[in-house]
Amino acid sequence: MTENLDIASKTRKNKLKKGRPAYVRWLVLAAGLGFAATLGIVASVIGAFYYVAPGLPPAETIREIPLQIPLRIFSRDGRLIDEVGERRRTPITYADLPKHVIDAFVAAEDRRFFVHPGVDYQGILRAGWLLAKTGEISGGGSTLTQQLARDYFLTREQIFTRKIREAFLAYKIEQEFSKQEILALFLNKMFFGQRAYGVAAAAQVYFGKNLADVNAAEAATLAGVLPAPSDYNPVTSAKKAAVRRGYVLGRMHDLDFLTDVQYADATNFPVESRLHGTASELLAPYVGEMVRQEMIKRFGEKATYSSGYKVVTTLDSTMQTAANYSLRNGLLEFTRRRGFRGAIARTEVTPEVLQQDYANWPEELQLHLGDHNNPGSLMVAVVTAIDEESNNAEVVLQTGERVSLPWHGIDWANPYFDPESFGPAPKTVAEVLLPGDFVYVMPITIGGYALAQLPLAQSALVSVDPNDGAITALAGGYDFTISKFNRVTQAIRQPGSSFKPFTYAAALHNGNSLATIVADLPVVINSAALERLWRPINYSGRFYGPQRVREALIKSMNLASVRLLLDHTGIGNTVRYLAPFGFNEGALPRNGSLALGGGNATPLDMAQAYSVFANGGYSVQPYVIDSITDATDKIVYRANPATVCRECEISKPQKFGSTPVVRSATPMRRDTRQLLDNADNPESANDDAAIAEAQSPIDLFPGVDVELLSLDQLAVLAESYRPNANEAPKLFTDVNVAPRIISEQIAYLIQDAMRDVIRRGTGIRAWRALGRNDLSGKTGTSNDGRDAWFAGFNSDMVGIVWVGYDDHKPLGPREEGSRTALPIWNQFMLRVISGRPLAAMPVPDGIITVRINKKTGCPATASDPLEQVMFEKFREDNVPECDMAIDPINLFNSSDDADDEDTTDELLQEGEEAEEQPKPDDSLF
């Protein structure tokens, strides 16, 4: 019975099996295997996660990892001067990305970027297939997010655990950041070759463009660089870059990012293959170097180059541009006067080859032409032909452009012999140039080009705001790439006669006046310090007898200046008086040469010292860094310079100045009380008459502590109330006040005398060029004409120009301050102050004007002939009291004839120089 039941059961089972289709059995098997595989994959993923999770950094730490961003230096009006650092990077946001740039990188690197969660299963399958096929882990399959994770946290080592970590990190990043943030992080982080990090820096390096200005072809070039930046960048290999660009453009077209027309245009766009420098908006390399050195002192080299500091300087872009142009143009004019030194190189190719199109030239010739640098505003060209009939030359520039040099651009080229001499003027082009000559040319304002040559002399120009010492323009030489020596701060030179105003100021401080009579007569000094018998002379070799101090300064009389120092002031008194001006000991020799600027000073030293005259007697320190911010725009430094603040001064009696008025406390006037009451009562009308009658807030509020007034009461006088430190000292406690080092009366008198230097003295070229009544200045030429200076200013700016050879050679005959340095200053000022209002120092209290006798310098009497009477300015307690019986004519024995004072202009006829060629005041003879 039991056996029969077993047989029946087996029979039923066999029937069921025979009735079930085979595919069902396979489906069941596949489902089981799939379920098992899924469980295995899930278990593997979970296991892998727990295996790598302890070593995964939080995704949000990306925000805390600083990018290596170079130091960026700006002018005060926001112009980029320079970027300094090993890595060039300009951080951008997603909003800064043009659409075709986004499309290019998505097409090239991760077409499903905006869809996947950080890891793309399609990419994983491709990588898995390659692993099964080749047995090697492929670098492909990584999404943009995975690449970002790798570059921030991992290495590029091709191992399985790194790929797992990369995938999990990518997923975590996607949970922390938006797609837009991820793409911006990616494009800021990636290396593009040629020291360019980030897509914005790469656009500048390869195309010289801002990122917003790149086109689709250039965007595809940048996207094509990423797989191998050192090989695929267009500078290393334009051919490989073109192939990669074609691939990216094809992907963009396939994904409908480009239309057929756009694709064709981008494909036909040429591949540019050259490096571009920093997108500098303002040429100020000497300032950039000053800032770099200061930043290294403050923060160290590593932080300076990579922490993303931004430095705002005190430079004004308009003034800096004017300084660059004026200095270069002045040096080019100087070198033209000294003669043509000849071609910089030659090629021996035949004239027939030179006449061919540039494209057909031998490669060696093209390379020879291209190898030359273009210093300053000059360009290198090769002479291809001489046209004797039209007397001009044909040249080819490095760009391949063929241009003509007309005779008026060549006729200056007298043959150079030595620094002291040159030959006769040429009559034909053939005397100057030959086919095959490599020469410098420069564009000219009337159009076309002119022959030029690289100056051997150098120059420095610096301008300073005299109210706080801010350096507003600085050019330390002709071209920073040729010489990084900053002559504004490092060239220690003899200031010559440009130093005289300081010794004259010391003379005024020690009781002299602009009317004091000094003898312009021979001086012989046996000086151990000078190691010889010292006989200073005037530039002209003549001497001019008794002169008023003003005239001696105006006409830069050497002998009178020495006697003023030795006989009327004293060397010790002068040195002590000038020490606060900022001069070092080398600028203040303790002998007679001090009167003639026989010490040593830099142009910046001179700018600081002249600021004292320009601002009315205060000492300010030159500075160039206004602020420093870090990569997050947090201010880490803000300059707090000592600033001229007349209202901040506590009035003190001065030795040779006016005595300040001391106000006493008095009861408040009734109308003043009414005015204050009305101010607190808006329904009451203010007493306009009381305001009109009041001469100052003290008159309006006698006996009242203005600090206790209400806001409404102060508002009544907001437009007119300007308290000083005597009236409201607490208002000025936080002001960094520049200290006064000379009286405003002396500053004004020296300033006024130097206005005459420009109006009718050695600086008359400035008057002719600028025609302004607010300018003061002084020329200077050192021993043997080795240094030429001009220092000029008004109340808003001080400008110093120096010209000379670095090896201290003489500049050459007739190269003095008025001819060599002053024209540079004129060009600078023309571009800087045109259209600006006059800025002359107002006449301070304690200055009076007195009618004097020209011969004696004493107050005039009724008996003095009218033609011998003039007006002179004095400090009110320093008007001379003279014994009119003394005849100054008999005090000195002058053998020179005199010219009329009013004909100073005759000394300044074309071709003559005013510098150090003083003309005497004929009224003294």
Side-chain angles (χ1 to χ4, degrees):
M1 183 68 177
T2 304
E3 184 178 349
N4 291 334
L5 291 173
D6 291 338
I7 293 173
S9 175
K10 290 178 180 180
T11 301
R12 286 195 300 271
K13 291 179 178 179
N14 289 334
K15 288 181 178 180
L16 290 172
K17 289 180 180 180
K18 290 178 181 179
R20 182 182 298 167
Y23 74 87
V24 174
R25 293 197 299 271
W26 283 107
L27 285 174
V28 172
L29 178 62
L33 291 174
F35 180 72
T38 301
L39 288 176
I41 291 172
V42 171
S44 297
V45 170
I46 294 173
F49 175 76
Y50 281 104
Y51 175 75
V52 301
L56 293 179
E60 62 270 15
T61 57
I62 288 180
R63 302 183 195 274
E64 302 170 5
I65 299 175
L67 295 172
Q68 292 191 26
I69 303 172
L71 168 68
R72 306 188 82 201
I73 305 169
F74 298 88
S75 66
R76 69 185 183 189
D77 48 353
R79 302 294 183 89
L80 177 64
I81 295 173
D82 199 6
E83 286 186 356
V84 184
E86 296 177 0
R87 297 186 176 187
R88 300 177 62 177
R89 178 182 274 122
T90 304
I92 48 92
T93 64
Y94 184 82
D96 299 322
L97 295 170
K99 183 179 184 302
H100 52 267
V101 172
I102 297 172
D103 293 343
F105 283 93
V106 169
E109 296 293 326
D110 188 0
R111 65 184 180 86
R112 286 169 40 82
F113 171 71
F114 288 102
V115 177
H116 62 65
V119 180
D120 187 5
Y121 74 92
Q122 294 182 6
I124 293 176
L125 291 177
R126 287 196 303 272
W129 170 251
L130 289 173
L131 175 61
K133 184 178 179 181
T134 64
E136 296 179 355
I137 299 174
S138 171
S142 293
T143 64
L144 283 176
T145 315
Q146 287 176 270
Q147 294 180 57
L148 181 67
R150 180 186 63 212
D151 272 63
Y152 263 102
F153 299 114
L154 306 173
T155 68
R156 291 180 176 268
E157 188 179 6
Q158 298 291 341
I159 59 176
F160 188 73
T161 54
R162 195 271 292 168
K163 297 290 287 186
I164 293 295
R165 288 165 59 85
E166 180 184 287
F168 282 118
L169 271 173
Y171 179 77
K172 293 179 69 175
I173 289 171
E174 291 273 352
Q175 305 308 304
E176 179 70 25
F177 298 94
S178 69
K179 288 289 187 180
Q180 291 76 15
E181 290 175 315
I182 292 170
L183 187 59
L185 286 168
F186 176 84
L187 293 179
N188 279 325
K189 176 68 174 175
M190 293 298 117
F191 175 55
F192 286 81
Q194 302 295 337
R195 294 177 51 232
Y197 288 79
V199 67
Q204 175 59 42
V205 166
Y206 295 124
F207 311 124
K209 294 182 177 181
N210 293 324
L211 185 60
D213 299 326
V214 302
N215 58 37
E218 292 163 338
T221 301
L222 296 177
V225 165
L226 280 186
S230 298
D231 291 333
Y232 292 166
N233 75 74
V235 173
T236 300
S237 175
K239 185 175 181 180
K240 290 181 180 179
V243 172
R244 283 292 301 167
R245 186 187 74 171
Y247 164 77
V248 176
L249 288 173
R251 296 280 296 165
M252 294 174 71
H253 185 243
D254 293 342
L255 294 171
D256 294 329
F257 292 157
L258 294 176
T259 65
D260 292 343
V261 174
Q262 290 172 330
Y263 173 70
D265 290 342
T267 302
N268 293 327
F269 191 81
V271 176
E272 186 173 354
S273 179
R274 69 185 183 93
L275 281 175
H276 295 264
T278 300
S280 175
E281 299 170 312
L282 181 64
L283 183 65
Y286 292 97
V287 171
E289 177 61 14
M290 291 169 66
V291 171
R292 184 190 71 85
Q293 293 180 12
E294 180 61 27
M295 290 294 290
I296 290 175
K297 289 180 183 178
R298 290 174 180 267
F299 304 106
E301 188 168 326
K302 182 177 180 180
T304 294
Y305 293 154
S306 62
S307 296
Y309 287 114
K310 292 184 283 292
V311 176
V312 176
T313 68
T314 56
L315 291 191
D316 178 280
S317 61
T318 299
M319 298 176 72
Q320 181 63 31
T321 301
N324 294 333
Y325 172 83
S326 303
L327 182 146
R328 287 178 171 177
N329 195 57
L331 284 177
L332 290 171
E333 287 294 327
F334 167 78
T335 196
R336 284 163 65 103
R337 292 197 298 270
R338 305 319 305 166
F340 182 56
R341 300 190 301 273
I344 58 176
R346 275 194 56 78
T347 178
E348 298 303 327
V349 300
T350 64
E352 291 74 22
V353 173
L354 293 172
Q355 287 298 307
Q356 297 177 8
D357 289 339
Y358 175 80
N360 297 326
W361 280 8
E363 183 179 1
E364 181 181 356
L365 178 58
Q366 293 184 8
L367 291 175
H368 189 186
L369 179 59
D371 283 343
H372 292 278
N373 293 324
N374 296 326
S377 56
L378 305 183
M379 295 177 285
V380 174
V382 60
V383 180
T384 57
I386 299 297
D387 187 338
E388 295 183 359
E389 183 176 346
S390 60
N391 207 24
N392 62 23
E394 182 184 81
V395 301
V396 171
L397 306 177
Q398 289 176 320
T399 60
E401 181 183 3
R402 195 175 295 268
V403 300
S404 176
L405 296 184
W407 174 242
H408 65 75
I410 303 173
D411 61 357
W412 62 268
N414 302 56
Y416 173 89
F417 292 159
D418 55 53
E420 300 289 328
S421 58
F422 49 82
K427 293 182 173 59
T428 65
V429 174
E431 297 178 47
V432 181
L433 301 173
L434 293 173
D437 283 348
F438 285 79
V439 296
Y440 289 115
V441 299
M442 58 181 285
I444 53 180
T445 54
I446 61 174
Y449 295 85
L451 179 67
Q453 66 182 352
L454 183 66
L456 297 180
Q458 283 289 353
S459 181
L461 190 158
V462 60
S463 69
V464 169
D465 184 339
N467 294 300
D468 65 355
I471 296 173
T472 51
L474 187 152
Y478 181 79
D479 190 313
F480 185 75
T481 62
I482 296 175
S483 171
K484 295 176 173 56
F485 181 66
N486 187 345
R487 292 155 192 87
V488 169
T489 60
Q490 296 174 297
I492 303 174
R493 310 292 295 223
Q494 276 194 2
S497 294
S498 64
F499 192 83
K500 286 177 181 174
F502 303 106
T503 60
Y504 279 61
L508 297 187
H509 176 75
N510 282 276
N512 296 281
S513 73
L514 293 177
T516 297
I517 302 297
V518 291
D520 189 75
L521 293 172
V523 176
V524 179
I525 300 174
N526 189 359
S527 171
L530 296 172
E531 299 181 353
R532 58 188 170 91
L533 200 64
W534 187 53
R535 290 188 177 92
I537 60 173
N538 286 325
Y539 183 87
S540 64
R542 302 168 61 193
F543 57 93
Y544 301 102
Q547 296 288 321
R548 296 188 307 277
V549 164
R550 179 185 288 268
E551 295 303 312
L553 179 59
I554 290 171
K555 296 160 188 174
S556 200
M557 297 180 179
N558 288 342
L559 300 177
S561 299
V562 172
R563 286 187 175 274
L564 180 65
L565 171 70
L566 299 179
D567 301 338
H568 296 261
T569 311
I571 293 174
N573 291 334
T574 301
V575 169
R576 285 189 292 273
Y577 184 76
L578 297 185
F581 280 73
F583 293 117
N584 56 42
E585 291 185 3
L588 304 174
R590 292 179 175 271
N591 55 61
S593 68
L594 175 63
L596 307 181
N600 294 295
T602 67
L604 190 59
D605 292 336
M606 297 296 285
Q608 179 181 351
Y610 266 91
S611 293
V612 177
F613 295 140
N615 64 33
Y618 300 88
S619 174
V620 293
Q621 299 291 323
Y623 71 103
V624 75
I625 295 179
D626 183 68
S627 66
I628 303 172
T629 56
D630 63 17
T632 66
D633 289 330
K634 177 183 177 182
I635 296 178
V636 297
Y637 169 79
R638 172 78 72 184
N640 182 29
T643 304
V644 173
C645 178
R646 292 175 177 83
E647 294 81 9
C648 302
E649 283 190 282
I650 301 295
S651 296
K652 295 179 181 178
Q654 298 178 12
K655 182 177 179 181
F656 295 113
S658 58
T659 303
V661 177
V662 180
R663 302 180 185 274
S664 59
T666 58
M668 184 184 298
R669 290 193 335 225
R670 181 175 301 175
D671 55 353
T672 301
R673 170 53 62 194
Q674 183 64 42
L675 184 65
L676 297 179
D677 292 342
N678 290 344
D680 285 331
N681 182 5
E683 297 181 357
S684 301
N686 288 329
D687 189 348
D688 294 333
I691 297 177
E693 291 175 2
Q695 298 300 310
S696 74
I698 296 299
D699 294 331
L700 195 59
F701 297 99
V704 175
D705 187 346
V706 294
E707 299 173 20
L708 300 179
L709 298 179
S710 69
L711 291 177
D712 289 333
Q713 291 170 335
L714 286 175
V716 174
L717 298 175
E719 294 298 323
S720 61
Y721 181 42
R722 296 292 184 270
N724 58 36
N726 293 311
E727 300 162 351
K730 292 183 180 179
L731 296 179
F732 301 93
T733 54
D734 295 330
V735 179
N736 186 10
V737 182
R740 175 175 289 283
I741 61 172
I742 69 173
S743 74
E744 60 181 339
Q745 291 79 21
I746 289 178
Y748 173 80
L749 291 174
I750 293 296
Q751 195 178 122
D752 185 70
M754 282 195 283
R755 273 197 287 271
D756 275 350
V757 171
I758 286 179
R759 282 194 289 254
R760 58 186 181 87
T762 59
I764 196 170
R765 280 188 171 88
W767 173 256
R768 291 172 174 172
L770 303 168
R772 292 175 62 107
N773 286 318
D774 62 334
L775 298 177
S776 303
K778 185 69 185 75
T779 53
T781 306
S782 68
N783 286 339
D784 301 320
R786 301 176 192 276
D787 306 274
W789 295 79
F790 188 79
F793 61 90
N794 64 12
S795 293
D796 288 341
M797 81 175 70
V798 173
I800 307 293
V801 174
W802 166 86
V803 181
Y805 288 104
D806 286 338
D807 60 3
H808 294 264
K809 290 187 301 188
L811 287 166
R814 299 181 63 197
E815 298 292 349
E816 305 96 8
S818 62
R819 189 186 194 200
T820 310
L822 178 53
I824 297 175
W825 189 86
N826 285 345
Q827 290 192 47
F828 172 70
M829 295 298 285
L830 273 172
R831 287 162 174 76
V832 167
I833 65 173
S834 294
R836 290 193 182 186
L838 297 180
M841 179 181 175
V843 181
D845 293 338
I847 292 293
I848 60 174
T849 301
V850 178
R851 294 171 71 251
I852 66 168
N853 183 293
K854 290 181 180 181
K855 290 183 177 181
T856 65
C858 298
T861 66
S863 62
D864 289 331
L866 187 60
E867 63 274 12
Q868 296 296 331
V869 174
M870 60 171 289
F871 287 97
E872 183 57 273
K873 297 181 177 69
F874 297 88
R875 287 167 289 160
E876 63 182 1
D877 57 355
N878 198 41
V879 178
E881 297 178 0
C882 303
D883 182 354
M884 302 305 293
I886 297 178
D887 186 350
I889 296 177
N890 297 322
L891 295 178
F892 310 106
N893 182 20
S894 171
S895 62
D896 286 312
D897 295 331
D899 304 315
D900 182 65
E901 177 179 320
D902 296 329
T903 60
T904 301
D905 198 52
E906 294 176 3
L907 289 175
L908 302 168
Q909 295 174 355
E910 197 66 33
E912 295 183 348
E913 298 310 313
E915 170 64 17
E916 306 295 3
Q917 297 188 29
K919 182 189 66 56
D921 178 0
D922 83 309
S923 63
L924 297 182
F925 292 87

